[in-house]
Amino acid sequence: MDPSGSRTRAARLDASRGLASSRAPLRTLVVSDLHLGSRLGRDVLRRDAALDALLAALRDVDRLVLLGDVVELMEGRAIRAMEAAEPVLRAIGARVGRGREIVVVPGNHDGPLVRRWLRATGGPAAVDAAIPADATPALARVTAWLGPAAVRVRYPGVWLADGTWATHGHYLDRHLLPESGYGIARGLLGRLPRDGAAPVEYERAGGPSVTHVEAALAGRLPRPLAAAVDDLAEVLRAATMPGARRRMFRRRLAPLTALVLGAQMRRASIPALARVVHRLGVDSEWVVFGHVHRCGPLPGDDLRRWRGPGGRPRIANSGSWIYEPLLLHRAARPPHPYWPGGAVLLEDGRDPRALCLLEHLDAAALSPPQTRAGNRVGGAEIT
């Protein structure tokens, strides 16, 4: 397997189709950033209405791709998160059923599913490395819950079709700061991989992770402070935009905040992702990713902003299944780029298409109920 990502067309096409017949049309649904078991209860798939909508969407697809951050394993509450994730993943696996396929591609928040195996094997060496379903005890549990569907695991990405590569997208974080200028990037993010890099170089890049700090604080602080930290993570992305002012972050201005974050994603995250694709040598027409929670491109988006340098690759984002109060608040209405329920649909012979599966649900059905005892989701308190 070529670690550069430039595998032959035939090899990529064969790998992309999994169990599907090479002659049969293939419909693939990509979802990411479920964050099941989040302490703050913002993961909407623990609401019956949201889960029912996803299960309905799975009726007429041949393959489901879980593109990272499926289970929230970075808040120091892995046991509780796995307990919360189990019924949701079992329902998904049962709906997909025998004869169809689920592909799991871990991200950063569920990285512990594969991290020990990667360290033990020195991988990943390829951009679509095959991971044993029982590589770790936690991964074995997740893949078992997703049965009776056929489950395969790839990391850090997977070929979904000839010319279409999907990855969670967390490698892009390494390229969000300047690579020069008094060594800022080296000091904060570690040594950056260069052209011709293998994925393992991103795994070994070193440096402290903002994501790790955010998750640790959200998992350990008292609930009001944890919620503030979670909101702050969104504010920081917007605050990196020139001219962003404090008043933009008031909840009554959630639409403006979402607009600013969308601009930041297009101006920083998409170029950073394109840099990752280039440095890994991934030769693709399309790249599907998650991570930044901004579904797109949607109607009204400038398609020129959803491309790498020179127009390649074209890029789509699968959004998230998280209710984010800072961006939505209870006055928000779909269609909205940060509305929970994002997905990307791939059909043979057509371009990937971003869509939202929860546009029929309002904020009251998706936001976590607030009680004096804490957040209650599905009748059980999340502590």
Side-chain angles (χ1 to χ4, degrees), residues 7-22 26-28 63 65 101 103 128 152 154 158-166 346 348:
R7 302 169 66 188
T8 66
R9 182 182 187 278
R12 289 188 306 194
L13 185 59
D14 181 65
S16 72
R17 298 193 68 87
L19 295 180
S21 165
S22 60
L26 185 64
R27 285 172 55 89
T28 299
R63 175 174 59 184
V65 178
E101 183 180 47
V103 182
D128 59 347
R152 60 186 173 121
R154 293 291 186 270
V158 62
W159 288 102
L160 298 181
D162 180 41
T164 302
W165 185 65
L346 290 86
D348 285 354

Side-chain angles (χ1 to χ4, degrees), residues 121-139:
T121 59
V127 299
D128 59 347
I131 309 294
D134 59 353
T136 66
L139 183 62

Side-chain angles (χ1 to χ4, degrees), residues 92-371:
I92 290 172
R95 175 52 56 89
V96 173
R98 299 185 186 277
R100 295 192 289 171
E101 183 180 47
I102 298 176
V103 182
V104 177
V105 183
N108 50 332
H109 281 257
D110 56 4
L113 293 176
V114 296
R115 186 166 298 137
R116 288 185 180 179
W117 187 87
L118 293 175
R119 290 173 177 171
T121 59
V127 299
D128 59 347
I131 309 294
D134 59 353
T136 66
L139 183 62
R141 293 173 66 190
V142 166
T143 55
W145 295 337
L146 291 170
V151 182
R152 60 186 173 121
V153 185
R154 293 291 186 270
Y155 187 82
V158 62
W159 288 102
L160 298 181
D162 180 41
T164 302
W165 185 65
T167 184
H168 179 66
H170 52 294
Y171 285 177
L172 71 83
D173 292 350
R174 297 289 170 184
H175 297 285
L176 286 178
L177 292 180
E179 297 184 30
S180 58
Y182 306 101
I184 291 177
R186 175 179 292 186
L188 293 181
L189 297 179
R191 186 179 298 275
L192 293 173
R194 298 295 177 180
D195 290 358
V200 68
E201 294 178 50
Y202 279 93
E203 300 292 326
R204 296 172 178 169
S209 167
V210 173
T211 302
H212 278 80
V213 174
E214 170 201 342
L217 291 175
R220 291 172 173 81
L221 290 173
R223 189 177 307 279
L225 293 178
V229 167
D230 198 59
D231 287 344
L232 179 61
E234 300 296 337
V235 171
L236 289 176
R237 286 199 292 162
T240 59
M241 291 298 294
R245 299 180 181 274
R246 185 181 303 272
R247 63 175 176 268
M248 289 184 181
F249 308 130
R250 295 174 183 169
R251 287 192 173 182
R252 63 186 178 85
L253 295 180
L256 178 58
T257 305
L259 179 65
V260 171
L261 275 176
Q264 166 66 359
M265 197 275 286
R266 293 190 303 274
R267 297 181 184 180
S269 296
I270 284 181
L273 178 70
R275 196 166 292 119
V276 171
V277 171
H278 171 75
R279 294 195 176 176
L280 291 177
V282 175
D283 182 17
S284 63
E285 291 292 334
W286 277 94
V287 173
V288 179
F289 80 116
H291 189 51
V292 297
H293 296 190
R294 200 290 191 184
C295 191
L298 298 173
D301 284 336
D302 184 351
L303 297 182
R304 295 173 297 178
R305 301 287 188 181
W306 292 79
R307 297 173 181 262
R312 293 184 77 245
R314 299 164 71 183
I315 293 170
N317 186 267
S318 50
S320 82
W321 292 70
I322 291 289
Y323 183 87
E324 300 182 279
L326 179 69
L327 303 180
L328 300 175
H329 204 37
R330 292 185 180 271
R333 294 286 185 275
H336 191 291
Y338 291 96
W339 200 257
V344 173
L345 180 65
L346 290 86
E347 300 174 282
D348 285 354
R350 301 181 63 180
D351 290 339
R353 177 165 57 96
L355 64 159
C356 181
L357 303 178
L358 300 183
E359 286 189 342
H360 62 291
L361 299 178
D362 61 17
L366 296 172
S367 58
Q370 301 291 326
T371 73

